[in-house]
Amino acid sequence: GAGVSQSPSNKVTEKGKDVELRCDPISGHTALYWYRQSLGQGLEFLIYFQGNSAPDKSGLPSDRFSAERTGGSVSTLTIQRTQQEDSAVYLCASSLHRSGNTIYFGEGSWLTVV
Amino acid sequence: GEDVEQSLFLSVREGDSSVINCTYTDSSSTYLYWYKQEPGAGLQLLTYIFSNMDMKQDQRLTVLLNKKDKHLSLRIADTQTGDSAIYFCADLYSSASKIIFGSGTRLSIRP
């Protein structure tokens, strides 16, 4: 597609449920990033993919968070047993390659845990 | 450690220039970015500068990079109400595995 596409755009879930957030990067972009932005806060790095592998998972806040990428394209961020503090906007970005001079963000998935 | 810092707020009069400042700690930055985020929207890439450049100009936007002091600035000429947003400075960290963002500067425009 023309831009980075994320779904769902909004998700309200009950505490304790699992959620999956999807990111469809710009076609041909090999690098993919997930960030989290809590209300009124800056961006917190979660994970980075180069192709299907994730050389840097250092930002995942707990073992309830996992992410995968298949076919060097779509990525899924999964949050298990959601907690209220997981409420945030989850932003995906992609770039043509690792050195990333053109990095573009999706509109984000707004997650609310009630 | 990895850090990018910005002041949280800036208020300017419509028509004046806005200058948003950013400092970073990474001594091996390759690219530095400015992103704009309007209320309820995602991040829009405004401009970026490669670390071997001192300045980049793009219409009303001027980016200045002082690599020695690890200081980056974004100047918006003739600031308009549509420029009201949060502006994020970001650094492609030397390991090239992540982009570190500042906390964002909220730019407000007064008449």
Side-chain angles (χ1 to χ4, degrees), chain B residues 51-101:
Chain B
S51 59
N52 68 355
M53 298 168 65
D54 298 324
M55 185 181 87
K56 182 177 179 180
Q57 187 147 7
D58 184 2
Q59 299 181 341
R60 292 191 298 122
L61 304 179
T62 303
V63 178
L64 294 178
L65 174 61
N66 182 329
K67 200 171 179 183
K68 174 175 171 290
D69 293 339
K70 299 191 182 70
H71 182 269
L72 182 75
S73 68
L74 173 69
R75 178 177 180 269
I76 306 172
D78 186 24
T79 310
Q80 302 298 308
T81 54
D83 296 324
S84 292
I86 301 175
Y87 290 82
F88 289 93
C89 168
D91 170 23
L92 180 64
Y93 199 63
S94 54
S95 66
S97 65
K98 55 188 164 186
I99 311 158
I100 305 299
F101 282 80

Coordinates of all heavy atoms in Angstrom, one line a residue, chain B residues 51-101:
Chain B
S51 N 24.0 12.9 9.3 CA 24.9 13.5 10.3 C 26.2 14.2 9.8 O 26.9 14.9 10.5 CB 25.4 12.4 11.3 OG 26.1 11.4 10.5
N52 N 26.4 14.1 8.5 CA 27.6 14.8 7.9 C 27.2 16.2 7.4 O 27.9 16.9 6.7 CB 28.3 14.0 6.9 CG 27.5 13.8 5.6 OD1 26.3 14.1 5.6 ND2 28.0 13.1 4.6
M53 N 25.9 16.5 7.6 CA 25.4 17.8 7.2 C 25.3 18.8 8.4 O 25.1 18.3 9.5 CB 24.0 17.7 6.5 CG 24.0 16.8 5.3 SD 22.4 16.4 4.7 CE 21.7 17.9 4.3
D54 N 25.4 20.1 8.1 CA 25.2 21.1 9.1 C 23.9 21.7 9.1 O 23.3 22.2 10.1 CB 26.3 22.2 9.0 CG 27.7 21.7 9.2 OD1 27.9 20.8 10.0 OD2 28.6 22.2 8.5
M55 N 23.3 21.7 7.9 CA 22.1 22.5 7.7 C 21.3 21.8 6.6 O 21.9 21.3 5.6 CB 22.3 23.9 7.4 CG 21.0 24.8 7.3 SD 21.3 26.5 6.9 CE 21.4 26.4 5.1
K56 N 20.0 21.9 6.7 CA 19.1 21.4 5.6 C 17.9 22.4 5.6 O 17.3 22.6 6.7 CB 18.7 20.0 5.9 CG 17.8 19.4 4.8 CD 17.4 18.0 5.0 CE 16.5 17.5 3.9 NZ 16.2 16.0 4.1
Q57 N 17.6 22.8 4.4 CA 16.4 23.7 4.3 C 15.4 23.1 3.4 O 15.7 22.6 2.4 CB 16.9 25.1 3.8 CG 15.8 26.1 3.8 CD 16.3 27.5 4.1 OE1 17.5 27.8 4.1 NE2 15.4 28.5 4.2
D58 N 14.1 23.2 3.8 CA 13.0 22.7 3.1 C 11.8 23.7 3.2 O 11.1 23.6 4.2 CB 12.7 21.3 3.5 CG 11.6 20.6 2.7 OD1 11.1 21.3 1.7 OD2 11.2 19.5 3.0
Q59 N 11.7 24.6 2.3 CA 10.6 25.6 2.3 C 10.7 26.3 3.6 O 11.7 27.0 3.9 CB 9.2 24.9 2.1 CG 9.1 24.2 0.8 CD 7.8 23.6 0.5 OE1 7.0 23.3 1.4 NE2 7.5 23.3 -0.8
R60 N 9.7 26.3 4.5 CA 9.7 27.1 5.7 C 10.5 26.4 6.9 O 10.7 27.0 7.9 CB 8.3 27.3 6.3 CG 7.4 28.2 5.4 CD 6.1 28.6 6.1 NE 5.3 27.5 6.4 CZ 4.8 27.1 7.6 NH1 5.2 27.9 8.6 NH2 4.1 26.1 7.8
L61 N 11.0 25.2 6.6 CA 11.7 24.5 7.6 C 13.2 24.6 7.4 O 13.7 24.4 6.3 CB 11.3 23.0 7.6 CG 9.8 22.7 7.8 CD1 9.6 21.2 7.7 CD2 9.3 23.3 9.1
T62 N 14.0 24.9 8.5 CA 15.4 24.8 8.5 C 15.9 24.0 9.7 O 15.5 24.2 10.8 CB 16.0 26.2 8.6 OG1 15.5 27.1 7.6 CG2 17.5 26.2 8.5
V63 N 16.7 23.0 9.4 CA 17.3 22.1 10.4 C 18.7 22.5 10.5 O 19.5 22.6 9.5 CB 17.1 20.6 10.0 CG1 17.8 19.8 11.1 CG2 15.7 20.3 9.9
L64 N 19.2 22.7 11.7 CA 20.6 22.9 12.0 C 21.1 21.8 12.9 O 20.5 21.5 13.9 CB 20.8 24.3 12.7 CG 20.4 25.5 11.9 CD1 20.6 26.8 12.8 CD2 21.3 25.6 10.7
L65 N 22.3 21.3 12.6 CA 22.9 20.3 13.4 C 24.3 20.7 13.8 O 25.1 21.0 13.0 CB 23.0 19.0 12.5 CG 23.7 17.8 13.2 CD1 23.1 17.4 14.5 CD2 23.8 16.6 12.2
N66 N 24.5 20.7 15.1 CA 25.8 20.9 15.7 C 26.3 19.6 16.2 O 25.9 19.2 17.4 CB 25.7 22.0 16.7 CG 27.1 22.3 17.3 OD1 28.0 21.4 17.4 ND2 27.3 23.6 17.7
K67 N 27.1 18.9 15.5 CA 27.4 17.5 15.9 C 28.4 17.5 17.1 O 28.3 16.6 17.9 CB 28.0 16.8 14.7 CG 28.0 15.3 14.9 CD 28.5 14.6 13.6 CE 28.4 13.1 13.8 NZ 28.9 12.3 12.6
K68 N 29.2 18.6 17.2 CA 30.1 18.7 18.3 C 29.4 18.8 19.6 O 29.7 18.1 20.6 CB 31.0 19.9 18.1 CG 32.0 20.2 19.2 CD 32.9 21.3 18.8 CE 33.7 21.8 20.0 NZ 32.9 22.5 21.0
D69 N 28.3 19.6 19.6 CA 27.6 19.8 20.8 C 26.4 18.8 20.9 O 25.6 18.9 21.9 CB 27.0 21.2 20.9 CG 28.2 22.2 21.1 OD1 29.3 21.8 21.5 OD2 28.0 23.4 20.7
K70 N 26.2 18.0 19.9 CA 25.0 17.1 19.8 C 23.7 17.9 20.0 O 22.9 17.5 20.9 CB 25.2 16.0 20.9 CG 26.4 15.1 20.7 CD 26.3 13.9 21.6 CE 27.6 13.0 21.5 NZ 28.8 13.6 22.0
H71 N 23.6 18.9 19.2 CA 22.4 19.8 19.3 C 21.8 19.9 17.9 O 22.5 20.1 16.9 CB 22.9 21.1 19.8 CG 21.7 22.1 19.9 ND1 21.3 22.9 18.9 CD2 20.9 22.3 21.0 CE1 20.3 23.7 19.4 NE2 20.0 23.3 20.6
L72 N 20.5 19.7 17.9 CA 19.7 19.8 16.7 C 18.6 20.8 16.9 O 18.0 20.9 18.0 CB 19.1 18.4 16.4 CG 18.2 18.2 15.1 CD1 19.1 18.1 13.9 CD2 17.4 16.9 15.2
S73 N 18.3 21.6 15.9 CA 17.2 22.5 16.0 C 16.3 22.5 14.7 O 16.8 22.1 13.7 CB 17.7 23.9 16.3 OG 18.4 24.4 15.2
L74 N 15.1 22.8 14.9 CA 14.1 23.0 13.8 C 13.6 24.4 13.9 O 13.0 24.8 14.9 CB 13.0 22.0 14.0 CG 11.9 22.1 13.0 CD1 12.3 21.7 11.6 CD2 10.7 21.3 13.3
R75 N 13.8 25.1 12.8 CA 13.2 26.5 12.7 C 12.1 26.4 11.7 O 12.2 25.9 10.6 CB 14.3 27.4 12.3 CG 13.8 28.9 12.1 CD 15.0 29.8 11.8 NE 14.5 31.2 11.6 CZ 14.1 31.7 10.4 NH1 14.1 31.0 9.3 NH2 13.8 33.0 10.4
I76 N 10.9 27.0 12.2 CA 9.8 27.1 11.3 C 9.6 28.6 11.1 O 9.3 29.3 12.0 CB 8.5 26.5 11.9 CG1 8.7 25.0 12.4 CG2 7.3 26.6 11.0 CD1 7.6 24.4 13.2
A77 N 9.8 29.0 9.8 CA 9.6 30.4 9.5 C 8.1 30.7 9.3 O 7.3 29.9 8.9 CB 10.3 30.8 8.2
D78 N 7.7 32.0 9.7 CA 6.3 32.4 9.4 C 5.3 31.4 10.0 O 4.5 30.9 9.3 CB 6.1 32.7 7.9 CG 4.8 33.3 7.6 OD1 4.2 34.0 8.5 OD2 4.3 33.1 6.5
T79 N 5.4 31.2 11.3 CA 4.6 30.2 11.9 C 3.1 30.5 11.8 O 2.7 31.6 12.0 CB 5.0 30.1 13.4 OG1 6.4 29.9 13.6 CG2 4.3 28.8 14.0
Q80 N 2.4 29.5 11.4 CA 0.9 29.6 11.2 C 0.2 28.7 12.2 O 0.7 27.8 12.8 CB 0.6 29.1 9.8 CG 1.3 29.9 8.7 CD 1.0 31.4 8.7 OE1 -0.2 31.7 8.7 NE2 2.0 32.2 8.7
T81 N -1.1 29.0 12.3 CA -1.9 28.2 13.3 C -1.9 26.7 13.0 O -2.0 25.9 13.8 CB -3.4 28.7 13.3 OG1 -3.9 28.7 12.0 CG2 -3.4 30.1 13.9
G82 N -1.8 26.4 11.7 CA -1.7 25.0 11.3 C -0.4 24.3 11.7 O -0.3 23.0 11.7
D83 N 0.5 25.0 12.2 CA 1.8 24.4 12.7 C 1.6 24.0 14.2 O 2.6 23.4 14.7 CB 2.9 25.5 12.7 CG 3.3 25.9 11.2 OD1 3.2 25.0 10.3 OD2 3.6 27.0 11.0
S84 N 0.5 24.3 14.8 CA 0.3 23.8 16.2 C 0.3 22.3 16.2 O -0.5 21.6 15.5 CB -1.1 24.3 16.7 OG -1.1 25.7 16.9
A85 N 1.2 21.7 17.0 CA 1.3 20.3 17.1 C 2.4 20.0 18.1 O 3.0 20.9 18.7 CB 1.7 19.7 15.7
I86 N 2.7 18.7 18.3 CA 3.8 18.3 19.0 C 4.9 17.9 18.1 O 4.7 17.1 17.1 CB 3.5 17.1 20.0 CG1 2.4 17.5 20.9 CG2 4.7 16.7 20.8 CD1 1.9 16.3 21.8
Y87 N 6.1 18.4 18.3 CA 7.2 18.1 17.4 C 8.2 17.2 18.1 O 8.7 17.5 19.2 CB 7.9 19.4 17.0 CG 7.0 20.2 16.0 CD1 6.0 21.0 16.5 CD2 7.2 20.1 14.7 CE1 5.2 21.7 15.7 CE2 6.4 20.8 13.8 CZ 5.3 21.6 14.3 OH 4.5 22.3 13.5
F88 N 8.5 16.1 17.5 CA 9.4 15.1 18.1 C 10.8 15.1 17.4 O 10.8 15.0 16.1 CB 8.8 13.7 18.0 CG 7.7 13.4 19.0 CD1 6.4 13.6 18.5 CD2 7.9 13.0 20.3 CE1 5.3 13.4 19.4 CE2 6.8 12.8 21.1 CZ 5.5 13.0 20.7
C89 N 11.8 15.2 18.1 CA 13.2 15.0 17.6 C 13.5 13.5 17.8 O 13.1 12.9 18.8 CB 14.1 15.9 18.5 SG 15.8 15.6 18.3
A90 N 14.2 12.9 16.8 CA 14.5 11.5 17.0 C 15.9 11.2 16.4 O 16.3 11.9 15.4 CB 13.5 10.6 16.2
D91 N 16.5 10.2 16.9 CA 17.9 9.9 16.6 C 17.9 8.4 16.2 O 17.5 7.6 16.9 CB 18.8 10.1 17.8 CG 20.2 9.6 17.6 OD1 20.7 9.4 16.5 OD2 20.8 9.3 18.7
L92 N 18.5 8.1 15.0 CA 18.7 6.7 14.6 C 19.9 6.3 15.3 O 21.0 6.7 14.9 CB 18.8 6.6 13.1 CG 19.0 5.2 12.6 CD1 17.9 4.3 12.9 CD2 19.3 5.2 11.1
Y93 N 19.7 5.5 16.3 CA 20.8 5.2 17.2 C 21.9 4.4 16.5 O 21.6 3.7 15.5 CB 20.3 4.4 18.4 CG 21.2 4.4 19.6 CD1 21.5 5.6 20.2 CD2 21.8 3.2 20.0 CE1 22.4 5.6 21.3 CE2 22.6 3.2 21.1 CZ 23.0 4.4 21.7 OH 23.8 4.4 22.8
S94 N 23.1 4.6 16.9 CA 24.3 4.1 16.2 C 24.2 2.6 15.9 O 24.8 2.1 14.9 CB 25.6 4.4 16.9 OG 25.5 3.9 18.2
S95 N 23.5 1.8 16.7 CA 23.4 0.4 16.4 C 22.5 0.2 15.2 O 22.4 -0.9 14.7 CB 22.9 -0.3 17.6 OG 21.5 0.1 17.9
A96 N 21.8 1.2 14.8 CA 20.9 1.2 13.7 C 19.7 0.3 13.9 O 19.1 -0.2 13.0 CB 21.6 0.9 12.4
S97 N 19.5 -0.1 15.2 CA 18.4 -1.0 15.4 C 17.2 -0.3 16.0 O 16.1 -0.9 16.1 CB 18.8 -2.1 16.4 OG 19.1 -1.6 17.6
K98 N 17.3 1.0 16.4 CA 16.2 1.7 16.9 C 16.3 3.2 16.8 O 17.4 3.7 16.7 CB 15.9 1.3 18.4 CG 17.1 1.5 19.3 CD 16.7 0.9 20.7 CE 17.9 0.7 21.5 NZ 17.6 0.0 22.8
I99 N 15.2 3.8 16.8 CA 15.2 5.2 16.7 C 14.7 5.7 18.1 O 13.7 5.2 18.6 CB 14.2 5.7 15.7 CG1 14.4 5.0 14.3 CG2 14.3 7.2 15.5 CD1 13.2 5.1 13.5
I100 N 15.5 6.6 18.7 CA 15.2 7.1 20.0 C 14.5 8.4 19.9 O 15.1 9.3 19.2 CB 16.4 7.2 20.9 CG1 17.2 5.9 21.0 CG2 16.1 7.7 22.3 CD1 16.4 4.8 21.6
F101 N 13.4 8.6 20.5 CA 12.6 9.8 20.4 C 12.7 10.7 21.6 O 12.8 10.1 22.7 CB 11.1 9.5 20.2 CG 10.8 9.1 18.8 CD1 11.0 7.8 18.4 CD2 10.2 10.0 17.9 CE1 10.7 7.4 17.1 CE2 9.9 9.6 16.6 CZ 10.1 8.3 16.2

